[in-house]
């Protein structure tokens, strides 16, 4: 699914000379295909908008910050990371990027930015039971991290979920 979504952006990758890399994406997760693709499209379009050199890497990993997640996620969840090597987000902008209409410092680069993309992603992730967060550093790039449940979770956890 992730590769299909990335494929839609292939001309932009080629045109901007950006690389794309996938790692550990063979896991099955509990999600809604259409809405998960919507979130990925928003996140990827941002990554491409704010990355001028290098590229994008998409990979999964075990949850790395247990404190930040509910117990159920720590047992059954994985993180899907969309990492870019773009301009990054200033630490003072970071807490506000999911706000409706917030375009931040980077928004000035692209005057057409509406500041709705991440706001909608957050809303969709909440509905799907996923979590979305961002880690970023100016000059290094940005990680958008989506925490999802694996497809096969225990029956008792399904009930609680
Ligand atoms: P649009 O929704 O029209 O694409 P937008 O990109 O400004 O507009 P969001 O997707 O909500 O809106 O992003 C909010 C802000 O977060 C952006 O204006 C930008 O400052 C910052 N941002 C988001 N993703 C990245 C990224 N990958 N790299 C750097 N900055 C980012």
């Amino acid at each position: 699914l992730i590769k299909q979504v990335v494929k839609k952006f292939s001309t932009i990758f080629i045109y901007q000379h950006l690389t794309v890399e996938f790692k550990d994406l063979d896991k099955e997760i509990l999600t809604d295909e259409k809405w998960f693709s919507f979130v990925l499209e928003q996140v990827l379009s941002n990554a491409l908008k704010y990355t001028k050199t290098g590229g994008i890497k998409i990979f999964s990993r075990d949850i790395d910050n247990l404190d930040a997640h509910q117990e159920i996620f720590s047992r059954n969840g994985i993180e899907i990371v969309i990492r870019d090597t773009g301009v990054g987000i200033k630490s003072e902008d970071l807490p506000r990027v999911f706000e409706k209409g917030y375009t931040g410092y980077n928004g000035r680069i692209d005057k057409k930015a509406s500041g709705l993309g991440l706001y909608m992603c957050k809303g969709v992730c909440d509905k799907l039971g996923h979590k979305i967060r961002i880690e970023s550093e100016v000059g290094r790039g940005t990680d958008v991290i989506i925490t999802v449940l694996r497809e096969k979770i225990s029956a008792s956890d399904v009930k609680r979920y």
Side-chain angles (χ1 to χ4, degrees):
L1 180 66
I2 291 173
K3 287 179 184 169
Q4 273 170 25
V5 174
V6 171
K7 222 170 172 184
K8 292 189 189 173
F9 294 86
S10 52
T11 40
I12 305 179
F13 275 99
I14 295 166
Y15 185 69
Q16 291 185 197
H17 302 286
L18 295 174
T19 57
V20 61
E21 201 183 321
F22 303 106
K23 197 167 167 261
D24 295 332
L25 294 180
D26 54 345
K27 289 158 189 147
E28 292 185 349
I29 59 164
L30 265 182
T31 191
D32 175 277
E33 249 183 57
K34 197 180 85 192
W35 286 110
F36 190 68
S37 300
F38 171 86
V39 171
L40 279 176
E41 280 180 29
Q42 295 294 324
V43 171
L44 267 172
S45 92
N46 276 344
L48 289 168
K49 221 186 309 177
Y50 300 110
T51 304
K52 299 296 166 223
T53 55
I56 287 151
K57 183 173 174 181
I58 306 177
F59 57 97
S60 79
R61 67 180 180 203
D62 291 332
I63 288 174
D64 93 345
N65 181 3
L66 289 184
D67 293 346
H69 300 281
Q70 295 162 357
E71 206 191 325
I72 187 169
F73 274 104
S74 66
R75 281 198 303 277
N76 301 291
I78 52 168
E79 293 182 334
I80 294 170
V81 185
I82 299 102
R83 171 171 293 169
D84 69 54
T85 54
V87 291
I89 302 171
K90 283 183 168 185
S91 55
E92 58 264 40
D93 282 346
L94 211 43
R96 301 195 58 196
V97 289
F98 290 105
E99 285 177 18
K100 189 177 184 179
Y102 190 74
T103 52
Y105 168 77
N106 295 331
R108 286 177 220 145
I109 296 171
D110 178 355
K111 294 201 170 58
K112 279 179 285 184
S114 71
L116 290 177
L118 288 176
Y119 169 74
M120 292 190 290
C121 287
K122 177 84 175 61
V124 171
C125 282
D126 286 349
K127 287 264 183 242
L128 293 176
H130 302 339
K131 290 170 185 296
I132 183 165
R133 68 180 205 279
I134 293 187
E135 291 172 4
S136 186
E137 203 181 303
V138 172
R140 178 188 62 80
T142 300
D143 281 4
V144 178
I145 303 153
I146 305 170
T147 311
V148 297
L149 288 174
R150 289 171 189 269
E151 197 189 34
K152 292 183 184 74
I153 69 174
S154 73
S156 59
D157 279 342
V158 169
K159 260 189 242 145
R160 289 167 56 207
Y161 185 60

